[in-house]
Structures are given as structure tokens and as C-alpha cells.
Amino acid sequence: MGNRIKGKTKKKSIKAAHHSGMSSKRKLSRFGKNLKKNNAGLEATFITRSAVLKKLQITLKDFRRLCILKGVYPREPRGRTPSNKKGQVFYHIKDVKALAHEPLLDKFREFRTFMKKVRRAAGRNEKDEAARKDSFAPTYTLHHLVRERYPRFQDALGDLDDALALTYLFAALPSTGRVSAKVTKKAQSLAAQWGAYCATTSSITKSFVSVKGIYMEANIQGTNVCWVIPHSYTQNIPQDVDFRVMTTFFEFYETLLSFVLYKVYNDIGVRYPLPVTSVELGGSSSALSANLHVLKKVLNQAGSSASNAIAEAVEEQTGDSEQKNVESNVKRSKLKTIDEALKQVESDDDEDMNDDEEDVDISGPLKDALESMDQSRASSVQNLSLDDEATKRKRLFAGLTFFISREVPKGYLELVCLAYGGSVGWEGSDSPISAKDPSITHHIVDRPKLPSSYDDLPKSREFVQPQWLLDSANFSFLLPTSKYAVGAELPPHLSPWVDNEEEGYTPAYAEEIDALKNGTILPSTTGDVIAEAEDEDASMSSDDDSEEEEIQKDEGENDEDEESEEEEDEDSEALQKRRAKRKQKEEEEAKALAKTMMSKKGARLYNRMQYGLEKKQAAVELLHKRRKEIEICKGKNKTEDGKTMLKAKVERLKSERRAVEKDYENTGGSMKKKKRRTKK
Amino acid sequence: MARKGSKKQKDPEPVIEEEGDDDSSESVYDSGAEEYEIDEEEYDSDAQSDSDEEEESEDEEEFEDQGSDDDEDEVLERQIKAAREEDEDDSGDELEIIDDFENIPRSFSQTKGKRDKDGKVVTKDDEDGVINDPEVSKLMHTDDFSSDDEDAEGEGNRIGRVPLHWYDEYDHIGYDAHGKKVVKQSSKGAGGDLLDQALQNQDDLENKKYIVHDALNDKDVQLTERQLEIIRRVQAGAFAHPEFEAYPDHINYFSGVDQMDFGINGDRYEPKARFQPSKYEKAKVRQMLKKLESGAITMDYLTGKIRDMNDVRREKKEGEDDKPFMMWKGDEEDELHFRKGPMHIAAPKLPPPTHATSYNPPDEYLPTEEDLKEWEDMDVKDRPHGLLIPKKFKNLRSVGAYEHAVRERFERCLDLYLCPRVMKRRLNIDPESLVPSLPKASDLRPFPTSKCIEFDTPYDSDEAPMIRCLTVSPDGQFLASGASDGFVRIWEVQTGRLLRSWNLSKLVSTGEDNDDEAESTNAGPKAVVSLEWNPNRSHHCMLAAVGKCAVVIATGTGGTDDAELTEALLSSAAACSGDGSNVKNAKAKKAVIWKGFDNSSDSDPISAFGGRCGPIVALHTSKDVVSAKWHKKGDYFVTVSPKALSAAVLIHQLNKAASQQPFSKNKGGEVQRACFHPSKPFLFVATKEHIRVYHLVKQTMVRRLLSGCKWISSLDIHPSGDHIIVGSLDRKMVWFDLDLSATPYKTLRYHEKALRSVNFHPRYPLMASSSDDGTVHVFHSMVYSDLMRNPLVVPVKVLRGHSVVNKLGVIASIFHPTQPWLFSAGADGKIHLYQDI
């Protein structure tokens, strides 16, 4: 106390909390509010995978499965990630919350406890006990996930590509080894059902044989679905491929496909799991043809019997309730009454045609049934309600009958034939058409030459290679078969997905077919091409040199222009040309100037875009160049063989040039380009 | 035999009892030599008399009574007592007995049933049955155990526990209770005839008599059947007394009595619930019924035919696991869109196949050998077709399975669930739309468009000298250029004719002090780096910067009136002798020395009455001068010599031949350029990065402009005085609007190399910048008097024509004062005039 001097403020202890000397309000206005942690930003919206595992308390394996089934994927956080979190995988926190409420999660846990029991039994060497317990494995269904992930049918169709591709792949895999026979069998049946639907509704729009497999595209209710069918040979299965992942995917896709198929089949008035019996499966050469056969039968039946349709309608009305006997009894009785009522209605109709329908007393369900019956009648085989495109497609092979030879892979070709309205026969006991049938118009053969056994076949048919079928379908135009004859060198097989105009390059064959379609025949190209090539080459070599000169010259011309205007009137054409040229130049200059005024950001973006465009252009130009070289080489090869492509080209160019120069000199003019060169 | 006989005499009791085989006696009464059986009742009533009593007959009677009596209590107690007695009794004698009883038939073990108090074997079936077997009944015995006293009469030896050999010498063996000697009866006993004994023993065995010798009383005792039995049992480790039951049946003494019938609420009524059906059971039944109805359980389960409903369920599942149904009715909404949380990002679809992936592609799509080699070095992802290498198959049959089909599908699967997804907006814009649409250049005429006149500088050396600076006379008739060879040349604009030239470098170096001379001659000519014609139309002189000097040159271009005016202006400067007397300012005096040239260097004036023509005065400073600029009125000028620290900027007045040093300190680094405001008393001083604006009257800094450049090379002020353009060596052209802010209004970067000069046109809305890339960019730069409108800057023309020499292109450019023409001077020694054609 004694040390304190009056008037001086007391010094604070060094232990006292530091005070900024500002009031809280002032501090707030100056520094802003202290942000709470994990309230906003990356921390609050995203969660790393390891944190997810901790939160959900599941193993990584289970988490992955759950992600696959539930369709949850990591997301890239927006903006910059902090340096300590770079390279981490982030999930959205709400996705994870959805996972946490997933009933499947419980099932997984249940399964884990179940496995404990089984394992314990097995560990004690109690085999029968383990086997007994094994049958109590908790099972789960995935249809709720299908509904959740694809609320609308269109959504499901949009995501069908991968599902189909995986299904077709599994269908092609051997059932021994890493994929169980059950899975491959299921995949085969699904693939066959899908194929049968596409063929029947002729919704196949594109088909293409690639090295990777056969690509197909179908238009289902306005949505394009594309899938790959592997070539039907033994697939190479790499050791490091984890089939657990793929089977999990298939597990979901299987459910998805079954529901989609149910829907599409239902739309054409067929009850989905087609009644394909094992007898039919065994009798036919492939699952696809068995399915097709059954589908045809069912559709025919649906067209003929009304009560069948009504049964379906009633069933639909009462919902999916086959399990209960009581209701099925009710249905039966209802059906009976409906049949009776129908008879009555028909008789009534016969009696008084003019009467309104209202006069006829029919109960509600019957009305519905009648309506649905009409619908289903409309959608019988003969007149399935196809959209315009599909009917157009169906007209392509209408009236044609194909016979697929033994060595040709039947599955997808049959699909294409049927989808485009043709009818198909093949070598086999179940074929509807025998090989000797005179109605066959095209016999599809893939052999170096026709075997002698084909000699006694009727001569009315044409023998073509399988590519003819696909090309014709893709160009929607029956191509001349001469190029596709047996043993002939095939024209290139082009992808129907490529938009040549957008790409900027049209392959020669596409041009040829375009011309064929339009009724014009391209002149033989080789001569023109060579001339063009020569021209371009010459101009290319001189371009660089002449550019500067031209600039200077033009500048000089600018001065003279006005003075010599009168003189130039005489050759107004040249003047116009020059004017146009100048105008173009001016524009270019203006553009170059405008570019200087671009902002830094804009300039960068612009340059990037230009880079992309240039790259694309370069690729196209490369294609053009190669094509020319090849064509020249081919032309050369016809005359002289044994010279390399490049040499041939150079020689050709030289000779051409000499000839042209000679001609020119004869006329009295001089070669401008040549002169320039000599000047230098 | 005698011995045996004597024994029998001494022991009357066994005789009596042994033949107790009459039917009436249901039990064997065996008391041995001592009679200690005391009736319970007697014991209870009269204990005193009991001890002294001697009653054999009575005993027997009582026993018989007992036999008929069924009171179990008594039996029990007696059993207990007997057991105790026997235990004590046998303890002493056992050792002697043991040998003799080896071969006694062991009948007891066969009697399994329980024995009741009378020693009867009671089987379960026949509780009340009577045992008639005499053999068995012999074994049974009920002692009354009333007293320890074995020798009630007191006739036995009472010497206690003393060694018997004490009495060996006497004829008695002790004393009885009455003090009488107990005489050794058979003295021969101890040391008797062994043969006799053996015979005796043999006899006894034959007669099934077991006789032991009682050494204390000196008599032989025959063991009874019961005693033998006890010995056998003890030997066998069983309970000694055959009648002892180790595990008797529990007798519930309280049966039939209500145990709860006591306590506080002992007499309350039974609750009602006990008489009603159970609610719990009802609920259970209801549950079961419900389960039964729902199908969760079946009757089979309830009746126990199935152990677990899972069995049934499992069987069901096998058939139909996930049966499809109509999932989409067609009236669904786009839930994904409305769903809360992050937006769903659909996985991108795989690109469709191209021509190149065809099994039979057009030839141009096939890779060449170089392509293949290139692809080999590439990562699979970077290859144009990934794992696939386009190949041509001649026909469909030669196409095999795709090697990577499974792998590619697998990788797609991995991508689907492992790849982070992000929504990226693809810029779907036409790149041309990014280019700003500018007003048409043709609408902004006039501006210089094409080269009309080329002024060729004469030179002797191998290389043409660089033209460093240009200036045009205010009337636009003459052009002056300063070159790196130290010459200032005056040209006629219209014709391109060289009118006059002065070697300033030489003039300056001769005028300089001797010590510098050697240096200057060695270093070669000094370049004329800055040149400006006096902006005052009546003052016909110009200002040049050469080396360390600023030189005022009379051009001799004026008429008679102007010549006089010019003469008046220059007269005082021309008179300077170099002694520094003209400079009043002390600081400036140190920094600059005015030195007039004599008339000898003069040349003929260009116009007839042009007056003096030639260098008039040189202002010698300490360091190299880089810039000399006139004030608008043509009297004051400012020189800049960057290395001269505080004397870097000097302001001179030609009229009075006076100088002053405005800054006492060098601020913000080396000064690059300085110039006056056209109408206000402002001085702009540009350092490398900033431009400071000083008020000359108030002598304060008004503002500092931040250019954002690294090295300012040039500076020009719009004739209105409100806008400044700055060129920098880091390729930027910066436009400042002084009314707007201290930061640039526009920063343009269009030159490929450093900017050397920037200029405004004094009349037309034009602006030009020249650069080391050999081009001059001409801009239309309209400044509006309306303060709300920003200046319009539009590039209109790029003028080329100068070649780049030693990385230097167009070094100077200047507009014609009255025409929209532009002069440009390059490092190639050429001056071009661009006109608007």
C-alpha cells in the first residue's frame, strides 16, 4: 500500500487477463463475431470416410456395400480444401445421415451376429448345427432402394446403362469360379428378358460391333439406353479384379432391372416374370429365343382372350395380394361375374347398338376391366402401340427373312433383325424356318467361301456377311449387298453414335452412303484428291513465306489504291476480290485489337477455349491427311507396287506439279509462287 | 470247559436272553452283564429311584409294553441315546475284539429296508408289517441308556484306571463298590493251561460262542449277537447301531396347519384376482392369435410341430426373394429434385463408341507405328482410347473376346462408388462472345493508319544510330529527333528533308571540365535521350537532354517577331558563363551550372529571319539527365537526373536563367519522369512505381498515384490535365483518371514487350503507345467533359514497320500537334510518319 502513489492507476497483475481496451461493442464492430467451430464450411458439410466409419460403427466392407446399394458417392467439396485435408475423400454429411437411417444397416448388423453363430458352430466342428443355422441367414430386399434412388421411371431408365452392361457381362462369364452359377443364371435370364422386350417393341435404335463388344442402344419411352454385349467367347478374368464389388453392384442392378422389366412388360400388357419353363429353355438354342417365343405366345393370347386382360385388370385393382387365399377366391368369383356381365353386355350391344353405354348397368370394376381390355387388345402383337420412330424402324426389314448360319453369333443379330421387322431362322431344331425355305431373302454367312452343302439351297436368297445387317440398320437403308458378299473385303463399320458434322470429319464410307441415299453417286475420288493434295501442299509450303510479303504489299497497296482506282475499274473483278480481302483483313485486325481489350480472366478463358478448338481441329486435320495419304497410296498401289507410301506420294506430287507448270507456261502466264521463290 | 462253565455262572443274563425266541418278545433285549436299561418314563418321573433299582423282570415287562407302544418320540430318543452309549462303550475294547470276528456272516448288509424302532425291517410296501425273522430280531436292540453305570450292584472291580499288574502278586484284583476284595476267581486264568484254552476256544467257535476276557473283573464275557453286529459295523465303517437311521424320512410335524395364518394380516380375505382368469395369459393368447392371423406363426408352431418359425420362413424365401411389382405408377414427382440436402449428381455416362473402336474402322483411324510407340509410353488414362488399341479385323469371325472387358467394367464400378463427384458447369458459350464488341474503328476516324514518310538518318558507322527521342514544333512544320550518336536533327515534316543537325554530345563534352574529357571521348558519343520543342508558339527553341546536360537549342524557325521574343527569352541564359552566378538558390547552385555556348557553333537559321539557331546554353548537372520537359508556357522546364538523389528533379526558368531544387530529399526511389500540369501549378513526379503530384505554390504533395507497375518508363498528361497515362517496362499501359481515384482506371496489357513511350494527341482524341515489340498501338481515347462518363478507350490501329534491333523496337513516338499523324522512331534508326489515309 505504501508504494502506491496517489493519482496513478494501479498496475494490473501480469496474471490478469489481457484486455484489449475496447468495449465489447467496439470489438464486435471491429473484429466481427467469433465463429463457432463446425458450424459452417467444410467441417460442417463434409465428413471424411474414416469419420463416417466411426460414426456409423460399421466396417469398411459393410460401408462400401452400403454405398453401392444406396448409391452414395463421395463429393468434391466446393472451393479450396485446407492443406491438411488434401487428398481425402469426403462424403456429404447429409448423405451419411441418410445412411445411418437405412434399414439395411440393421440387416448388416443382424447378419454379423448371425455369422458369429454360424462360425461358432463351425468352429466347434458341429457341421449339422452350422448347416441348420445357415438356413436362418437374415435376408433383405432392395426394392425400397430402387424406389428411393429412382422416384420416377424415367430416372431408372436413365441409369440403366451400367446395369445392363454389368448384367450382360455376368451373363457372359463362366459360372464356375469367382461368380456363382446362380448369379450368372440370373444375369442370363434378365438379359434375355430385356432383349426379348427390345426386339418385340423394336426399340433398338443403334447397334455396332466394336472390339470391346456389341454396343446397342434402345429407345425406351423416349430415353436412350445403351449397353455393351461382350463377344460370346471366354472372357479373360484378371486376378486383381474384386468380384465382391461387382456382385454387390449386380445385386442392386438385378432388383432394379426386374422392376424396370416388370414396368415395361406391364406397359405392353404382359405379366412380367414370363412363364418360361425349363422345358422351353432347354428346347431352344438360347435363353433369348426362348423368351421371345414365350413372349410372342403370351402376346397372342392377350390379344385373343378378353377375360385374360380383365383378370389382369382386376388383379391390378386389388393390388399385389396373391398370398391371401380369401382374396383370390373373391377374384375368382368377380371374374365369373364379369364374364357373365360381359356376355350380357355383348348381347345388349347386339340388340341396341345405338344405346349409350350408360344404359348398360355395369359395375365399377367391370368398367375398368373393359377399358383395360381395350388397351390390351390394342397392344397385341399385331399392333403394339409403337411410336412413329419405332414403326419406321420396323418397316426397314419388313418382309425380309433372314437365315442365320451356324457360325454367326445369333443373339444380337436376331435381336436386330426382329427389332427392324424382319423374321429370323437359324440352324437348329427350334428354328421356325428351315434353311431350305424359299422365303429366305438373306442368308447371313461368315465364312471365307460358301461350302458346297449350300449349293442345293434355293437361289432366291443373297448371302451376306453379318455387318450388312448392322450397317443397314444404322443407316436405316438397305445397302447394296455387293460389298458385303461372302469373302469380300468389307467396307469400314462406322459407329452410329458419332455425329460426323459435329466432329467435323466424315469418313469416306459415310459420304458414299449419304450420296447413295440421295440418289447421287460420288465421282471416283482418287484423281480429285490428288489434285487437291497437291494444291494444298504447295500452298502450305508457300503460305508461311508469303504472309509477310503480303502484309507489306497490302500496306503499299493502300497508298496506291486511291490513285489507281480508275485503272482498276477495268478489271473490277480483281478489285472486288481485293476489297473483299481487305475487308476480311480489317475484320481480323479489329478482332485482334478487341482481344487486346479483354480482361485477364476473359483472355485466359478465351485462350483455353481456342486451345480446345484447335486441338479438335488438329485431330480432324490429321484424319483428313491420313485419309488422303492412304487413298493416294491405294491409287499408287494399283499401278506400281513395292514403293513406300511416302515415296509414292512425293513422286506423284512432283509429276503432277511438273505437268501443271508446263501447262501454265504454255498459256504464257507465269507461276506466281514459283516466281516468289526464285526472288528469294 | 470249566472255564466256560464258570463263565456261565457269572453271567446269567445271556442265558436268559439268548433263548428269548418267544413270539411275544418282538425285540432282542441285550444288556450284557450290565443292566442299564431304564425306561424313559421312569427316568422322567423318578430319577433317584431309578438309579438304585434292580429290576429285571420289570424291565422286561416294560420293554414288552414298549413293543406294543407306537409312540415314535420315545423310539427316536432311545435310538439317539443308544447310539451314544454304544459309541462310548465300545471304544475301549475294540482292539481285542477285532481278530475274532472275521468270519462272522454279515447279514446286516442285506437288509436294505428301513428299520423302525423295534428293529423290524420295514419295506416301503408294507409299513406296518411285523418282522418275524428271529435271526434279524436278534440283532435289533433297544437300549434304554438310562445310566452310565454298568455295574449297578457295585460288585464289579472299582479300582479305576490303574495298571492291573499291580495286583499280580495278590489274590484279588481290586475292590468292589462296597470295599470288598474282588477275588481272582480263576487264578489259573492268566497263566493257565494254554492247551485248555485252545480247546476251549475251539469249542466256543464250534458253538458259535464268542468269548472275550474281561481282565478288570477277571472274567470271560460272551459277546451277544448284537455286540458282534456292532463290531462288524464299526469295522465296516458304518454307523455302529443297526437301528440308527442316517437319513430318516422327514416327518412334517406341521402338515395341515396353515402357516400363513398368523401375523398382522393373517386373517385377511383372498384377493379377487385369485379367483379370476389371468389377464396376462389373456394378453399372451391374444398376441398369439394376432400372430396367427398375420401369419407370423402357424398352428404347427403352436402345437409344437415346428420348433422355429424361421424354418418355415426360410423355405418360403427360397421361392420368391424380391418379387417385382408395379413400382412406378406414372404420377411420381421428381423427388430427387425436391429432396433436402445435397443435390444428386448423376454419374456421367460412358462415352459412346467412336469409329476407332469399331472392329473394322476406316483406315485413317488406325494408329501408325509412331502412335503406338507414343501410346506405350503414356499412362493408360492419357491414351486416346484407353486400354483399347484400334485394330482392323477382316471379318466378324476373327474378332475374339475383348481382353479388358471385365477390367473395364470393374473400373467403371469402382468409379461409380469411389470417385468424388462434383457438379461442374460446362461453359457452353461461344468463345467469340468473350471478345468485347468495340465500336468500329472506321467510325472513329481520323487516326494514323499507314506509313507515309520515312526519315532516314544518315550515318557513317556500321549500324544506324538509335533514334531515342522525337519532338515536333508546335506549328507542326518541323520534326526534331535525338539519336544515340549524340546528334539532334531537325527535319521538315512535309518532305522528310534533313534541315539541321548538331552534335550535342561533342559540344557538351568540349564544354565540360577537363577531367571528364578523357572519359567522355572513351565512352563514345552520348545519346540524346530527351527532346522537347518549346510548347509556346512564339518561343522557337527546344530542350534536349544529353549525358549530364540539358541543352537549350534555338531552332531559328520563327519569323521576325518571334525571333525577337525568343532572343529575349534566351538572352540571359546565353550570357551565362558557367560561374553559377545566375542561380540564386543555394541548393540548386550546387546541383546545376548554366553554361552558355558561344555563337561559333550557330548555324544558319531555318527561316530567313529566324534569329539565332543552335545550342544556346547547357545546364550541367552532376548525373545523367533522362528527361527535360517544358512547362506549358514555355519558360519553365523541369529536368530529371535519377541518380542525383535530392537534386534529381530541378526546375529551371529560362527567362531568368534561374534554377531551383524543389525537393530537399529524395523520396520513393529514383525519379523516372517529371512533368508539369498543363494548366495548374502541379508537378507530376514518377518514380519507378508511383506518381506523386505536388502543388508547386503550396509546396505540398497532393496525391500519390499507385500504378501497379514495376518500372515506369514514360508518362503523359492529357491536354485537359485530368488524365494521365503511364507506360511501364513490365508491358502495362495504365490510365489514371485524376478525378476518380489514386488507382488506375484501366490497366491494359497488349504489348508483347516493354513500353517505351506513351502519348496523347494534343487535339484529337488519340493516344499511342510504342513498345519494344516493334509496334505502335493507336487508341481512340475520348475523354468526356461530363464527369459521369468514363473515358472511352478503343484500340483502333496497330502500326508496324519498325524492326527490332538488339531487342529494342520503337523507342519514341509522338503525335503531330495539329494533324492526326504519328511519328515513330525506332532502334533501327528510322523515323516513320503515319498518316490517316
Side-chain angles (χ1 to χ4, degrees), chain B residues 736-768:
Chain B
F736 284 102
D737 189 338
L738 288 177
D739 296 331
L740 219 59
S741 78
T743 47
Y745 156 66
K746 232 180 191 129
T747 304
L748 299 173
R749 223 169 78 152
Y750 47 87
H751 277 299
E752 285 157 23
K753 294 259 170 70
L755 268 78
R756 287 290 166 185
S757 76
V758 287
N759 298 97
F760 276 117
H761 197 285
R763 286 202 186 159
Y764 289 95
L766 286 175
M767 182 181 92

Side-chain angles (χ1 to χ4, degrees), chain A residues 74-268:
Chain A
R75 286 165 193 267
E76 190 101 2
R78 279 207 305 177
R80 206 169 52 87
T81 45
S83 58
N84 61 341
K85 299 209 164 170
K86 283 240 163 81
Q88 290 195 27
V89 176
F90 289 101
Y91 287 84
H92 200 282
I93 224 153
K94 292 210 167 158
D95 283 340
V96 174
K97 272 181 189 161
L99 282 185
H101 287 98
E102 177 57 46
L104 266 187
L105 199 57
D106 286 339
K107 281 286 176 187
F108 283 171
R109 290 186 184 128
E110 228 171 84
F111 196 83
R112 213 166 56 190
T113 48
F114 157 75
M115 275 315 289
K116 261 186 213 161
K117 287 173 196 163
V118 174
R119 226 177 280 131
R120 188 170 56 200
R124 288 171 172 172
N125 215 7
E126 295 166 343
K127 271 186 188 164
D128 51 343
E129 177 68 5
R132 190 185 73 82
K133 276 184 175 155
D134 195 43
S135 62
F136 303 149
T139 56
Y140 51 86
T141 54
L142 295 173
H143 56 80
H144 69 285
L145 288 178
V146 175
R147 179 62 217 252
E148 187 185 296
R149 286 173 67 173
Y150 311 109
R152 296 174 303 171
F153 185 52
Q154 292 303 318
D155 300 333
L157 284 178
D159 211 14
L160 222 52
D161 289 17
D162 289 313
L164 282 171
L166 191 66
T167 307
Y168 271 97
L169 179 69
F170 270 148
L173 287 182
S175 52
T176 55
R178 293 204 267 166
V179 188
S180 74
K182 207 177 144 197
V183 169
T184 48
K185 208 176 166 193
K186 182 78 193 171
Q188 276 161 5
S189 79
L190 281 174
Q193 283 157 5
W194 175 257
Y197 171 78
C198 287
T200 321
T201 56
S202 65
S203 41
I204 301 280
T205 53
K206 285 163 187 167
S207 47
F208 173 64
V209 182
S210 155
V211 178
K212 291 186 180 185
I214 296 94
Y215 282 85
M216 290 268 183
E217 192 187 78
N219 189 301
I220 312 289
Q221 305 186 3
T223 309
N224 284 333
V225 180
C226 173
W227 70 96
V228 201
I229 308 171
H231 291 294
S232 50
Y233 296 99
T234 314
Q235 300 294 326
N236 169 38
I237 300 175
Q239 279 304 308
D240 53 340
V241 164
D242 185 2
F243 268 94
R244 281 177 305 177
V245 172
M246 288 170 64
T247 41
T248 313
F249 267 102
F250 182 69
E251 203 180 327
F252 177 74
Y253 286 153
E254 179 193 328
T255 316
L256 169 67
L257 264 180
S258 66
F259 278 92
V260 168
L261 283 171
Y262 187 93
K263 163 85 177 160
V264 291
Y265 270 101
N266 205 63
D267 287 353
I268 58 169

Side-chain angles (χ1 to χ4, degrees), chain A residues 192-479:
Chain A
Q193 283 157 5
W194 175 257
Y197 171 78
C198 287
T200 321
T201 56
S202 65
S203 41
I204 301 280
T205 53
K206 285 163 187 167
S207 47
F208 173 64
V209 182
S210 155
V211 178
K212 291 186 180 185
I214 296 94
Y215 282 85
M216 290 268 183
E217 192 187 78
N219 189 301
I220 312 289
Q221 305 186 3
T223 309
N224 284 333
V225 180
C226 173
W227 70 96
V228 201
I229 308 171
H231 291 294
S232 50
Y233 296 99
T234 314
Q235 300 294 326
N236 169 38
I237 300 175
Q239 279 304 308
D240 53 340
V241 164
D242 185 2
F243 268 94
R244 281 177 305 177
V245 172
M246 288 170 64
T247 41
T248 313
F249 267 102
F250 182 69
E251 203 180 327
F252 177 74
Y253 286 153
E254 179 193 328
T255 316
L256 169 67
L257 264 180
S258 66
F259 278 92
V260 168
L261 283 171
Y262 187 93
K263 163 85 177 160
V264 291
Y265 270 101
N266 205 63
D267 287 353
I268 58 169
V270 178
R271 195 151 246 298
Y272 162 53
L274 284 176
V276 183
T277 56
S278 53
V279 178
E280 273 154 335
L281 266 177
S284 48
S285 51
S286 71
L288 175 66
S289 45
N291 268 289
L292 274 167
H293 181 66
V294 172
L295 182 57
K296 205 172 173 186
K297 218 164 69 186
V298 169
L299 277 172
N300 278 330
Q301 277 175 3
S304 60
S305 72
S307 59
N308 212 353
I310 293 164
E312 268 173 32
V314 172
E315 263 178 0
E316 237 172 75
Q317 214 180 32
T318 49
D320 195 8
S321 53
E322 314 145 52
Q323 299 160 342
K324 288 169 196 169
N325 286 327
V326 190
E327 285 192 18
S328 63
N329 283 340
V330 171
K331 258 185 250 163
R332 253 175 242 150
S333 58
K334 252 188 197 171
L335 260 182
K336 271 180 196 167
T337 55
I338 287 165
D339 273 340
E340 281 171 345
L342 251 180
K343 275 173 199 166
Q344 269 191 354
V345 170
E346 276 167 359
S347 58
D348 280 1
D349 276 1
D350 290 343
E351 284 168 17
D352 34 21
M353 295 284 278
N354 299 334
D355 272 8
D356 286 346
E357 269 190 21
E358 288 167 5
D359 294 351
V360 187
D361 184 33
I362 30 176
S363 53
L366 180 55
K367 221 175 190 177
D368 292 339
L370 279 173
E371 278 165 16
S372 73
M373 183 190 76
D374 286 345
Q375 281 175 9
S376 64
R377 241 184 208 160
S379 62
S380 62
V381 200
Q382 286 77 24
N383 40 7
L384 272 171
S385 60
L386 304 172
D387 55 346
D388 297 345
E389 289 288 312
T391 42
K392 220 186 260 174
R393 280 197 294 273
K394 229 174 172 179
R395 236 175 275 145
L396 181 66
F397 290 161
L400 299 183
T401 310
F402 300 92
F403 190 84
I404 298 174
S405 196
R406 195 177 51 195
E407 70 278 359
V408 181
K410 184 169 82 80
Y412 60 92
L413 287 179
E414 186 185 6
L415 201 63
V416 172
C417 292
L418 289 173
Y420 286 87
S423 48
V424 192
W426 56 87
E427 278 178 36
S429 56
D430 58 330
S431 166
I433 305 159
S434 75
K436 291 186 177 172
D437 201 299
S439 70
I440 292 168
T441 54
H442 293 84
H443 194 128
I444 299 165
V445 186
D446 192 6
R447 296 172 189 241
K449 59 181 183 182
L450 286 178
S452 54
S453 60
Y454 280 20
D455 290 348
D456 52 346
L457 294 176
K459 302 293 175 200
S460 60
R461 65 185 66 180
E462 282 182 279
F463 291 96
V464 288
Q465 296 200 36
Q467 194 191 323
W468 179 84
L469 207 65
L470 301 182
D471 279 351
S472 299
N474 288 336
F475 289 112
S476 54
F477 177 68
L478 284 181
L479 297 170

Side-chain angles (χ1 to χ4, degrees), chain A residues 73-76 135-136 139 148 150-151 162 210-211 240 266 446 467 491 493 495 505 589 591 626, chain B residues 311 314 317 326 328 339 343-345 353 355 357-360 364 371 397 407 412 421 432 797:
Chain A
Y73 40 83
R75 286 165 193 267
E76 190 101 2
S135 62
F136 303 149
T139 56
E148 187 185 296
Y150 311 109
D162 289 313
S210 155
V211 178
D240 53 340
N266 205 63
D446 192 6
Q467 194 191 323
H493 183 50
S495 165
Y505 176 75
E589 207 179 305
K591 205 177 140 191
R626 277 195 187 155
Chain B
D311 291 342
R314 178 73 193 169
K317 266 180 229 159
M326 191 55 136
W328 300 282
R339 206 169 275 170
M343 189 173 58
H344 171 66
I345 305 168
H355 295 319
T357 61
S358 169
Y359 86 97
N360 180 16
E364 58 264 31
D371 284 343
R397 65 178 177 273
R407 175 175 301 287
R412 169 70 177 169
R421 295 188 198 169
E432 298 312 317
K797 186 75 189 170

Side-chain angles (χ1 to χ4, degrees), chain B residues 673-742:
Chain B
R673 291 284 183 277
C675 63
F676 291 103
H677 190 275
S679 52
K680 287 173 189 162
F682 287 144
L683 178 68
F684 297 89
V685 178
T687 57
K688 274 184 186 173
E689 291 176 19
H690 310 297
I691 297 150
R692 290 157 199 274
V693 188
Y694 294 96
H695 199 286
L696 289 169
V697 179
K698 289 180 188 165
Q699 303 205 330
T700 50
M701 191 176 85
V702 180
R703 68 196 314 185
R704 198 174 63 142
L705 306 175
L706 310 167
S707 71
C709 309
K710 287 276 157 359
W711 194 311
I712 290 171
S713 65
S714 52
L715 169 81
D716 198 21
I717 296 163
H718 194 263
S720 72
D722 287 340
H723 302 270
I724 302 177
I725 46 170
V726 170
S728 78
L729 295 183
D730 48 339
R731 301 191 287 161
K732 279 179 192 162
M733 204 284 288
V734 182
W735 180 297
F736 284 102
D737 189 338
L738 288 177
D739 296 331
L740 219 59
S741 78

Side-chain angles (χ1 to χ4, degrees), chain B residues 527-719:
Chain B
V528 180
V529 293
S530 171
L531 202 59
E532 194 183 13
W533 214 289
N534 195 322
N536 195 328
R537 276 173 163 269
S538 51
H539 295 164
H540 294 266
C541 62
M542 59 183 174
L543 199 58
V546 187
K548 290 174 180 174
C549 298
V551 180
V552 180
I553 304 166
T555 52
T557 49
T560 43
D561 295 351
D562 287 354
E564 274 172 31
L565 280 172
T566 308
E567 192 62 36
L569 180 75
L570 298 176
S571 59
S572 60
C576 293
S577 58
D579 55 359
S581 57
N582 56 328
V583 182
K584 301 288 182 293
N585 189 320
K587 270 187 201 162
K589 208 175 198 175
K590 276 185 208 164
V592 67
I593 299 159
W594 293 64
K595 206 186 240 180
F597 292 104
D598 50 357
N599 286 354
S600 62
S601 62
D602 281 6
S603 43
D604 295 334
I606 291 168
S607 64
F609 311 100
R612 216 178 145 182
C613 180
I616 304 296
V617 66
L619 283 75
H620 293 266
T621 61
S622 55
K623 300 284 182 213
D624 284 349
V625 180
V626 297
S627 149
K629 287 273 185 186
W630 287 105
H631 184 254
K632 180 84 178 170
K633 286 188 177 145
D635 189 11
Y636 287 96
F637 62 92
V638 60
T639 59
V640 175
S641 37
K643 297 269 159 64
L645 300 175
S646 60
V649 182
L650 293 170
I651 297 175
H652 315 276
Q653 193 180 9
L654 190 58
N655 194 14
K656 293 176 182 167
S659 295
Q660 46 183 316
Q661 185 183 335
F663 307 115
S664 56
K665 222 190 253 175
N666 182 26
K667 254 187 190 173
E670 290 180 2
V671 177
Q672 301 297 313
R673 291 284 183 277
C675 63
F676 291 103
H677 190 275
S679 52
K680 287 173 189 162
F682 287 144
L683 178 68
F684 297 89
V685 178
T687 57
K688 274 184 186 173
E689 291 176 19
H690 310 297
I691 297 150
R692 290 157 199 274
V693 188
Y694 294 96
H695 199 286
L696 289 169
V697 179
K698 289 180 188 165
Q699 303 205 330
T700 50
M701 191 176 85
V702 180
R703 68 196 314 185
R704 198 174 63 142
L705 306 175
L706 310 167
S707 71
C709 309
K710 287 276 157 359
W711 194 311
I712 290 171
S713 65
S714 52
L715 169 81
D716 198 21
I717 296 163
H718 194 263

